[in-house]
Amino acid sequence: MSLRYDFASDNTAPAAPEALAALVAANQGFAASYGADDVTARAADLIRQMLDVDAEVRFVASGTAANAISLAALARPFEAVLAHAHAHVATDETGAPGLFGHGLGIIGLPGASGRIETEALARALARPESPHAQPPGALSLTQATEYGAVYAVDHIAALAGQARERGLGVHLDGARLANAAAAGFDLRTLKTLDLDLLVIGGTKAGMTPAEAIVIFRKDLARRFDARLKQSGQLPSKSRFYAAPFVGMLESGAFIDRAAHANRMAARLAKACPFPLTHPVEANAVFVEMDEARLAALRAAGWAVYRFIDGSVRFMCSWATTEETVDQLAETLSAIA
Amino acid sequence: MSLRYDFASDNTAPAAPEALAALVAANQGFAASYGADDVTARAADLIRQMLDVDAEVRFVASGTAANAISLAALARPFEAVLAHAHAHVATDETGAPGLFGHGLGIIGLPGASGRIETEALARALARPESPHAQPPGALSLTQATEYGAVYAVDHIAALAGQARERGLGVHLDGARLANAAAAGFDLRTLKTLDLDLLVIGGTKAGMTPAEAIVIFRKDLARRFDARLKQSGQLPSKSRFYAAPFVGMLESGAFIDRAAHANRMAARLAKACPFPLTHPVEANAVFVEMDEARLAALRAAGWAVYRFIDGSVRFMCSWATTEETVDQLAETLSAIA
Amino acid sequence: MSLRYDFASDNTAPAAPEALAALVAANQGFAASYGADDVTARAADLIRQMLDVDAEVRFVASGTAANAISLAALARPFEAVLAHAHAHVATDETGAPGLFGHGLGIIGLPGASGRIETEALARALARPESPHAQPPGALSLTQATEYGAVYAVDHIAALAGQARERGLGVHLDGARLANAAAAGFDLRTLKTLDLDLLVIGGTKAGMTPAEAIVIFRKDLARRFDARLKQSGQLPSKSRFYAAPFVGMLESGAFIDRAAHANRMAARLAKACPFPLTHPVEANAVFVEMDEARLAALRAAGWAVYRFIDGSVRFMCSWATTEETVDQLAETLSAIA
Amino acid sequence: MSLRYDFASDNTAPAAPEALAALVAANQGFAASYGADDVTARAADLIRQMLDVDAEVRFVASGTAANAISLAALARPFEAVLAHAHAHVATDETGAPGLFGHGLGIIGLPGASGRIETEALARALARPESPHAQPPGALSLTQATEYGAVYAVDHIAALAGQARERGLGVHLDGARLANAAAAGFDLRTLKTLDLDLLVIGGTKAGMTPAEAIVIFRKDLARRFDARLKQSGQLPSKSRFYAAPFVGMLESGAFIDRAAHANRMAARLAKACPFPLTHPVEANAVFVEMDEARLAALRAAGWAVYRFIDGSVRFMCSWATTEETVDQLAETLSAIA
């Protein structure tokens, strides 16, 4: 029996038509390499428009690399990054921040459903420094969180404000920023949030592999291309990473497709007989499920994962259909 | 006036129809992520067939990263990689081997047109070791070379044999392996050459961004995916990096398109009134040209670069047309 | 009031007479640099004799560096080191293993008083591997532990055996190996324990700064000096790091002085009115003490630290006197 | 026959009496660790007085590490350090700057006898930047140079001024600063030279292993101890690295002993029948000598090295005697 990966992750989906069409359209004629082409310029403009901000934008292949490069730009090897204890950078990137950041540490902070508790950050920042441990050099936030929760603007502002007050840089991992936006998070507030670097996920939003790095703090842009090149993330054929952004931003699909994914998650949550372990605010559904039932679910052909917090995770994407959600819900009911 | 990038590099070309069609075809349904999908499996099979070898294959986004990761797998930080002094890894990757390899050094070796002199390698290997300098840990070769020359099998065998005898690992940068193959280099001889790691360039061969890492030495494959992930080169949507290989290998376009590029280079070389500085064996033409004439060429709209050896470089690709070659040749004649 | 650092750490003590005398004695005439001198050779011989093993020995300045270099030799950047969650390498070296190991991770394991639980190691080793997290590449043990406990030989054998079975390297941090030996741990059993690298602390044992790295696994010795040199730990005037070992090993002071330190800890433990939080097996006494009493103790002039587990720590050294122990005990009784 | 290392290097000498006496004197009682002790404070004061500058000072074990840590503080991994092509950091530290600097590059500049040509630096700084190569991030100078030459103040000012104008940091490797000072270089001019970081060599100046890092630019001092700790260069028993500085600075021996070494070099140069290859301005004598004569010299018992430029090098130190110089001169005359 072949497994169904529909809910295994939002990166098991194909690329959305708008992304693919733009990629095909970009495949015309010769173009300057390493980001000097028109498609790349256009995509950067569209991102600046979407965020209503004057910032530098770069397009890269990998979200893991984009995050790690960002953290390396903000914290030095003998410093640490404050992040949610279950953040992707902390648990799911094989130590990439330590490689690109040459040993920088990560200090895990608590908080329900992947949102860092404001008090926990305050405590971490108040801890006296010593040369014997890596002091905080940057704060990394994730929107939407690993658990499909969406930060309120004020929450991010409170966290970023604390960090900034102590001289820390702030990074936002927006692998699922589209889902957060579709859930009501206003992207134009980002410019007020005192961020240094933002990674906007294209891949999970329904593009062919593509991520955008937004450099809010202008002085960080100096020699950023050299940084990317050394890190293997300055694509020669940049247009192929920019084009899907053009396609999805021009058409509005970036948000629309994410809204669909969110709706599918809501539909699944509603139909799901297992207890939810996290609020369903974006495109993820986390449930409590024992091993026997998980095995039964897999035996029924569904590839899904038990997450780091012990929940079983179902991810929806632009490509998830109501029909598939209902099929899964049926299986869930059968094994519950 | 908009510049023409036709000859600026072989990465200014769009993707070939066979690559793009395969990418579009791969965009169907859900697929396991991180390389566990069928398209990735198929592409790996095709590469094994092409090389007639049982080896592990991985698909990544960046040639710079693929090279640097390979060198990091073969040489330790306190060792150095022997490479041609003008090799891409030595001169054009912003120190990526040093980043991924954590300080590993590069020892530049001489040799006409990018081919390492056998004697020079012998001398480098014979140099007495000291703890005060990084001793050779690996050898890196490039086929075709940065100067568009193609190594004979025996030449590589002699170099790799020497390296192996001294316990060094051997890496082959095949960013333009297709062009070498099209020029007569038999890819099935690679398996006899005692290589550890081979990077096969897809990007310059006419694909959307895609590179393959071939792991000849099986023990190197252990935890290679963790290595890739930490390095930001384990693509979640792997199929998009594998598909162009499927398209171009199944159709034969991988070699055919490279053969076309080589022919275009030969045509340009024949028509070019400037002295050639390197033999034209693959898809590159290097000529002697003073600053005034280079300025005139650029004023005529052609974006081209002066290379590290002082030559002016013209790169042909699958997308280069006879007509464009003739247009360029005409301009060259006018300014000569 | 000037603070008394007698119990703040065992590195606040001066060097023992035997160490200093040997250093002074070594200061004669010219000597080959970088470890090729007679004093270095003699010290290495003495260590081999003490351990009854044929192993390579190097002398370096820093225990932090010695540990980090060792871990970097055993685990690759995309792997992790298993260590007690409160081990010095995990909590007190500012991420040095990550710097020297280029991003290698540390997985903290539980266990009372700094001794890793055998079952906890088994569970960590049994965890399925994924390319998305750093799998275990090495095991690091500490003898005596951070909490002054001493592993039984069988315990280390069980831990190291498990690690070895899974192909992991094994490192022993012996910053306080002398204290462990003085407590009854037979150093000649080390050779049976399947270790790769051992760091023998000289500094805390009463020497001027000096640490020895013992390379049990011969293949690790290849180019180890280049590794040390690149890491800033191949001292040109090696004799000054070797001499204190000569002085303290030839005289037997290495163990005798540690035995004295252990006795002082036992004396303090006996007289101490605060509850002990760890068994007193070597030269450390850990007690439960609230903030007010700690403040009172400091107000009385004693510089001591609250440890990572919340205990207050008193370290004894070769230089601790019965009189001082009794003075401290008196203060403790007064504030209890 | 046992070899004589008198002229092999200035690190083959023992420690001078003033250094050793201070070390022995420092070995009294308990002291705060990690640089918080009185001896360390006193040594830092003495260095500030000698340089007539208000700067932070740290004491470390290794010059290689001190240099590499300094360069890592000034240049980022995707940048390069401009240094003389034969500088110690470029040729004799096994790539330590690349390890501590995580891949930072070194661009070698020409200049007679180890002094960087002002014009060569200007050319390097004028070179257009590209993201494909590591652009200059810092300048590293050496005083006295590897070839025993001493920069004039104006020369350093011209080099450092150029670098500063372009935003580069400036590091001075003063492994033999004492010899430069003894040769007439006024140490109080250093504060006018726009340096960021200075490493003052104690080891080659006749101390037990000890180097001082002077942090001229105050903002670099933030978290410098964490940087040192992570790099294995925050000695717990700091007093033993500070004491020799106290002994040699308080007594004036730092300069006096270097002046003696310089005189010995001058005496040797005068008596030497082989052509000098570099001006003898400090404590080094470099001569032209063929292999047969070098072999004869070694057969006569003198351990000396052929340097990277092909010369044979004789280093004098505080411990070199007139008698030994004359013995060597005699041998040289016999084999010339």
Side-chain angles (χ1 to χ4, degrees):
Chain A
M1 186 190 65
S2 97
L3 284 168
R4 301 192 58 174
Y5 286 91
D6 307 52
F7 298 94
S9 176
D10 31 8
N11 60 33
T12 58
E18 297 87 352
L20 197 65
L23 186 149
V24 171
N27 198 46
Q28 295 301 322
F30 293 87
S33 29
Y34 299 109
D37 63 286
D38 295 342
V39 180
T40 301
R42 173 72 183 140
D45 279 344
L46 287 163
I47 285 179
R48 282 186 284 263
Q49 282 170 30
M50 178 172 74
L51 306 180
D52 187 26
V53 75
D54 175 30
E56 298 265 342
V57 182
R58 298 292 184 276
F59 298 94
V60 303
S62 155
T64 292
N67 284 335
I69 290 167
S70 296
L71 299 183
L74 298 179
R76 295 174 294 177
F78 47 90
E79 297 178 326
V81 172
L82 296 162
H84 192 279
H86 288 187
H88 206 264
V89 297
T91 64
D92 215 15
E93 301 187 347
T94 323
L99 180 78
F100 287 91
H102 321 295
L104 67 74
I106 293 191
I107 297 171
L109 298 178
S113 299
R115 283 181 284 231
I116 295 172
E117 243 174 64
T118 309
E119 277 315 296
L121 176 61
R123 279 192 304 275
L125 291 172
R127 215 165 285 150
E129 266 192 58
S130 130
H132 304 284
Q134 291 165 297
L139 171 67
S140 176
L141 304 171
T142 309
Q143 176 78 316
T145 74
E146 287 304 293
Y147 292 107
V150 176
Y151 275 106
V153 172
D154 287 355
H155 193 167
I156 296 186
L159 294 169
Q162 276 190 54
R164 186 61 75 203
E165 217 166 89
R166 297 283 300 235
L168 275 70
V170 184
H171 158 256
L172 184 66
D173 176 358
R176 294 187 181 100
L177 189 65
N179 301 100
F185 179 75
D186 183 351
L187 296 182
R188 282 163 310 180
T189 61
L190 283 168
K191 66 173 183 282
T192 69
L193 291 177
D194 237 352
L195 305 179
D196 294 296
L197 291 166
L198 163 69
V199 177
I200 304 180
T203 312
K204 286 172 179 161
M207 304 188 194
T208 47
E211 308 285 315
I213 302 178
V214 182
I215 309 171
F216 286 97
R217 221 179 75 208
K218 282 297 174 72
D219 65 296
L220 282 172
R222 182 164 177 262
R223 294 180 171 174
F224 206 87
D225 284 353
R227 185 189 286 275
L228 290 176
K229 172 77 181 188
Q230 189 186 34
S231 301
Q233 295 290 333
L234 186 72
S236 59
K237 292 182 168 177
S238 178
R239 54 175 144 175
F240 293 111
Y241 295 105
F245 274 96
V246 172
M248 292 195 72
L249 293 188
E250 275 189 343
S251 64
F254 186 65
I255 306 299
D256 295 347
R257 297 287 191 181
H260 170 82
N262 292 2
R263 278 193 305 273
M264 292 303 100
R267 183 183 187 95
L268 177 58
K270 202 172 162 193
C272 177
F274 290 90
L276 299 176
T277 51
H278 297 287
V280 177
E281 300 174 4
N283 62 321
V285 178
F286 286 81
V287 306
E288 199 182 314
M289 189 183 296
D290 63 25
E291 272 302 288
R293 285 179 175 81
L294 177 55
L297 184 59
R298 284 171 173 163
W302 298 98
V304 290
Y305 299 106
R306 193 175 287 289
F307 210 66
I308 190 175
D309 74 333
S311 309
V312 168
R313 184 186 80 160
F314 303 96
M315 295 303 297
C316 297
S317 72
W318 76 271
T320 310
T321 61
E322 294 191 359
E323 191 188 0
T324 322
V325 169
D326 297 346
Q327 286 172 8
L328 173 62
E330 205 174 321
T331 313
L332 290 173
S333 297
I335 65 173
Chain B
M1 186 190 65
S2 98
L3 284 169
R4 302 192 57 175
Y5 286 91
D6 307 53
F7 298 94
S9 175
D10 31 7
N11 60 32
T12 58
E18 297 87 350
L20 195 65
L23 185 149
V24 171
N27 198 45
Q28 296 301 320
F30 292 88
S33 31
Y34 300 109
D37 63 286
D38 296 343
V39 180
T40 300
R42 173 72 182 138
D45 280 344
L46 286 164
I47 284 178
R48 284 186 283 264
Q49 283 171 30
M50 178 172 74
L51 305 180
D52 188 25
V53 74
D54 175 29
E56 298 266 343
V57 182
R58 297 292 183 277
F59 297 93
V60 303
S62 155
T64 292
N67 285 335
I69 290 167
S70 296
L71 298 183
L74 298 179
R76 296 174 294 177
F78 48 89
E79 297 177 328
V81 173
L82 296 161
H84 192 279
H86 288 187
H88 206 264
V89 296
T91 65
D92 216 15
E93 301 186 350
T94 323
L99 180 79
F100 287 90
H102 322 295
L104 67 72
I106 293 192
I107 297 172
L109 298 178
S113 298
R115 284 181 284 230
I116 295 173
E117 241 174 67
T118 310
E119 279 314 297
L121 177 61
R123 279 193 304 273
L125 292 172
R127 216 166 284 150
E129 265 190 60
S130 131
H132 305 284
Q134 291 166 297
L139 171 67
S140 177
L141 304 172
T142 309
Q143 176 77 318
T145 73
E146 288 304 294
Y147 292 107
V150 177
Y151 275 106
V153 173
D154 288 356
H155 194 166
I156 296 186
L159 294 169
Q162 277 190 54
R164 188 60 76 205
E165 217 166 89
R166 297 283 299 237
L168 275 69
V170 184
H171 158 257
L172 184 67
D173 175 357
R176 295 188 180 101
L177 189 65
N179 301 100
F185 179 75
D186 184 351
L187 295 181
R188 283 163 310 180
T189 61
L190 283 169
K191 66 173 183 283
T192 69
L193 291 178
D194 238 351
L195 305 178
D196 294 296
L197 291 165
L198 162 69
V199 177
I200 304 181
T203 312
K204 286 173 178 159
M207 303 187 194
T208 47
E211 309 284 315
I213 301 178
V214 181
I215 309 171
F216 286 97
R217 223 179 74 208
K218 283 297 173 73
D219 65 297
L220 282 172
R222 183 164 177 262
R223 295 181 171 172
F224 206 88
D225 284 353
R227 185 189 285 275
L228 290 176
K229 173 77 181 188
Q230 188 185 35
S231 301
Q233 296 289 334
L234 187 73
S236 59
K237 292 183 167 176
S238 179
R239 54 174 143 174
F240 293 111
Y241 295 105
F245 274 95
V246 172
M248 293 195 71
L249 294 187
E250 275 189 342
S251 65
F254 186 65
I255 305 299
D256 295 347
R257 296 290 191 179
H260 170 82
N262 292 2
R263 277 193 305 272
M264 292 304 100
R267 182 184 187 94
L268 176 59
K270 202 172 159 192
C272 177
F274 290 89
L276 300 176
T277 51
H278 297 286
V280 177
E281 299 174 4
N283 62 321
V285 177
F286 286 82
V287 306
E288 199 183 312
M289 190 183 296
D290 61 27
E291 272 302 287
R293 284 178 177 82
L294 176 55
L297 184 59
R298 284 171 172 162
W302 297 97
V304 289
Y305 299 106
R306 192 176 289 287
F307 211 67
I308 190 176
D309 73 333
S311 308
V312 168
R313 184 186 80 161
F314 303 96
M315 296 303 296
C316 297
S317 73
W318 75 272
T320 310
T321 61
E322 294 194 357
E323 193 188 356
T324 322
V325 168
D326 296 347
Q327 285 173 8
L328 172 63
E330 206 173 320
T331 313
L332 290 173
S333 297
I335 64 173
Chain C
M1 186 189 67
S2 97
L3 284 168
R4 301 192 57 174
Y5 286 91
D6 306 53
F7 298 94
S9 176
D10 31 7
N11 59 33
T12 58
E18 298 86 351
L20 196 65
L23 185 148
V24 171
N27 197 44
Q28 295 301 324
F30 293 87
S33 31
Y34 300 108
D37 64 286
D38 295 343
V39 180
T40 301
R42 173 73 182 136
D45 280 344
L46 287 163
I47 285 179
R48 281 186 286 264
Q49 282 170 31
M50 176 171 76
L51 306 180
D52 187 26
V53 74
D54 175 29
E56 297 265 342
V57 182
R58 298 291 184 277
F59 297 94
V60 303
S62 156
T64 292
N67 284 336
I69 290 167
S70 296
L71 299 183
L74 297 179
R76 295 173 295 176
F78 47 91
E79 297 178 326
V81 172
L82 296 161
H84 192 279
H86 288 188
H88 206 264
V89 296
T91 64
D92 215 15
E93 300 186 350
T94 324
L99 180 78
F100 287 90
H102 322 293
L104 66 74
I106 293 191
I107 297 171
L109 297 177
S113 299
R115 284 181 283 231
I116 296 172
E117 244 174 64
T118 309
E119 278 314 297
L121 176 62
R123 279 192 304 273
L125 291 172
R127 215 164 286 150
E129 264 192 59
S130 130
H132 304 284
Q134 291 166 297
L139 171 67
S140 176
L141 304 171
T142 308
Q143 177 77 316
T145 75
E146 287 304 293
Y147 292 107
V150 177
Y151 275 107
V153 173
D154 287 356
H155 194 165
I156 296 186
L159 294 169
Q162 277 190 54
R164 188 59 76 203
E165 217 166 89
R166 297 282 300 236
L168 274 70
V170 183
H171 158 257
L172 184 67
D173 176 358
R176 297 188 180 100
L177 190 64
N179 301 99
F185 179 76
D186 183 351
L187 296 182
R188 282 162 311 178
T189 61
L190 283 168
K191 66 174 183 283
T192 69
L193 291 177
D194 237 352
L195 305 179
D196 294 296
L197 291 165
L198 162 68
V199 177
I200 304 180
T203 312
K204 286 172 178 161
M207 304 189 193
T208 48
E211 307 285 314
I213 302 178
V214 182
I215 309 171
F216 286 96
R217 221 179 77 208
K218 283 297 174 73
D219 65 298
L220 281 173
R222 182 164 178 263
R223 295 181 170 171
F224 207 87
D225 284 353
R227 185 189 284 276
L228 290 176
K229 172 78 181 189
Q230 188 186 33
S231 302
Q233 296 289 333
L234 186 71
S236 59
K237 293 182 167 178
S238 178
R239 54 175 144 174
F240 293 111
Y241 296 104
F245 274 96
V246 171
M248 292 195 72
L249 294 188
E250 275 189 342
S251 64
F254 186 65
I255 306 299
D256 295 348
R257 296 288 191 180
H260 169 82
N262 293 0
R263 278 194 304 273
M264 292 303 100
R267 183 184 187 94
L268 176 59
K270 202 171 162 194
C272 176
F274 290 89
L276 300 176
T277 52
H278 297 286
V280 177
E281 300 174 3
N283 61 321
V285 178
F286 286 82
V287 306
E288 199 182 312
M289 188 184 296
D290 62 26
E291 272 303 288
R293 285 178 175 81
L294 176 54
L297 184 60
R298 283 172 173 162
W302 298 97
V304 290
Y305 299 106
R306 192 174 288 289
F307 210 67
I308 189 174
D309 73 333
S311 310
V312 167
R313 184 186 80 160
F314 302 96
M315 296 303 297
C316 297
S317 73
W318 74 272
T320 310
T321 62
E322 294 192 359
E323 191 188 1
T324 322
V325 168
D326 296 347
Q327 286 173 8
L328 173 62
E330 206 174 319
T331 313
L332 290 173
S333 297
I335 66 173
Chain D
M1 186 189 64
S2 96
L3 283 170
R4 302 193 56 175
Y5 286 91
D6 308 52
F7 298 94
S9 177
D10 31 8
N11 59 32
T12 58
E18 297 87 350
L20 197 65
L23 185 149
V24 171
N27 197 45
Q28 295 301 322
F30 292 87
S33 29
Y34 300 108
D37 63 286
D38 296 344
V39 180
T40 300
R42 174 73 183 137
D45 280 344
L46 286 164
I47 284 179
R48 281 187 285 264
Q49 283 171 30
M50 177 171 75
L51 306 181
D52 187 26
V53 74
D54 175 30
E56 297 266 341
V57 182
R58 297 292 183 278
F59 297 93
V60 303
S62 155
T64 292
N67 284 335
I69 289 167
S70 296
L71 298 183
L74 298 179
R76 296 174 294 176
F78 47 90
E79 297 177 327
V81 172
L82 296 162
H84 191 279
H86 288 187
H88 206 263
V89 295
T91 64
D92 216 16
E93 301 186 349
T94 324
L99 181 79
F100 287 90
H102 323 295
L104 68 73
I106 293 191
I107 297 172
L109 298 178
S113 298
R115 283 182 284 231
I116 295 173
E117 241 173 68
T118 309
E119 279 313 298
L121 176 61
R123 279 192 304 273
L125 291 172
R127 215 165 285 149
E129 266 190 58
S130 130
H132 304 284
Q134 290 165 297
L139 171 68
S140 177
L141 303 172
T142 309
Q143 175 78 316
T145 74
E146 288 304 293
Y147 291 108
V150 177
Y151 275 106
V153 173
D154 287 355
H155 194 165
I156 295 186
L159 294 169
Q162 276 190 53
R164 188 59 77 204
E165 216 165 273
R166 298 282 299 236
L168 275 69
V170 183
H171 158 257
L172 184 67
D173 175 358
R176 296 187 180 103
L177 190 64
N179 301 100
F185 179 76
D186 183 352
L187 295 181
R188 284 164 308 179
T189 61
L190 283 168
K191 66 174 183 283
T192 70
L193 291 177
D194 238 352
L195 305 179
D196 294 296
L197 291 166
L198 162 68
V199 177
I200 304 181
T203 312
K204 286 172 178 160
M207 303 187 193
T208 46
E211 308 284 316
I213 301 179
V214 181
I215 308 171
F216 286 96
R217 222 180 75 208
K218 284 295 174 74
D219 65 297
L220 281 172
R222 181 162 178 263
R223 294 181 171 172
F224 207 87
D225 284 354
R227 184 189 285 276
L228 290 176
K229 173 76 181 188
Q230 188 184 35
S231 301
Q233 296 290 334
L234 186 73
S236 59
K237 293 182 167 178
S238 178
R239 55 175 143 174
F240 293 112
Y241 295 105
F245 274 97
V246 172
M248 293 195 70
L249 293 189
E250 276 189 342
S251 64
F254 186 64
I255 305 300
D256 295 347
R257 296 289 191 180
H260 170 82
N262 292 2
R263 277 195 305 273
M264 292 303 100
R267 183 183 186 93
L268 176 59
K270 202 171 161 193
C272 177
F274 290 89
L276 300 176
T277 52
H278 297 288
V280 176
E281 299 173 5
N283 62 321
V285 178
F286 285 82
V287 306
E288 199 182 313
M289 190 184 294
D290 62 26
E291 272 303 288
R293 284 178 176 82
L294 176 56
L297 184 61
R298 284 171 173 162
W302 297 97
V304 289
Y305 298 107
R306 192 175 288 287
F307 211 67
I308 190 176
D309 74 334
S311 309
V312 168
R313 185 186 79 161
F314 303 96
M315 296 303 296
C316 297
S317 73
W318 75 272
T320 310
T321 61
E322 293 193 359
E323 191 188 359
T324 322
V325 169
D326 296 346
Q327 286 173 8
L328 172 63
E330 206 174 321
T331 313
L332 290 173
S333 296
I335 65 172

